[in-house]
């Protein structure tokens, strides 16, 4: 069963701000759904860029599989 990315990722700007405010430091997981298959990696740093639209920044090495999957998406 493939779910819509929009439905899975729907949240308002207040919820997004609250979530970003709770993450001071640590490890997060970056995922991408590519043709129904989920690929991911861990990242030790990311930053909130915008509330509207909700955007985060994460740096991904060009030599990783996740980078390739993100470019394909």
């Amino acid at each position: 069963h493939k779910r819509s990315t929009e439905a899975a990722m729907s949240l308002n700007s207040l919820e997004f701000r609250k979530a970003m405010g709770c993450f001071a430091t640590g490890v997060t997981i970056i995922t991408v759904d590519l043709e129904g298959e989920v690929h991911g990696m861990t990242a030790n740093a990311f930053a909130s860029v915008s509330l509207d639209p909700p955007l985060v920044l994460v740096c991904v090495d060009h030599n990783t599989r996740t980078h390739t999957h993100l470019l394909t998406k």
Side-chain angles (χ1 to χ4, degrees), residues 35-67:
E35 298 174 0
E37 189 173 334
V38 178
H39 302 270
M41 63 171 270
T42 59
N44 64 350
F46 78 110
S48 174
V49 177
S50 170
L51 290 175
D52 188 19
L55 297 174
V56 295
L57 168 75
V58 63
C59 298
V60 179
D61 189 308
H62 288 235
N63 297 317
T64 64
R65 287 178 290 168
T66 301
H67 183 269

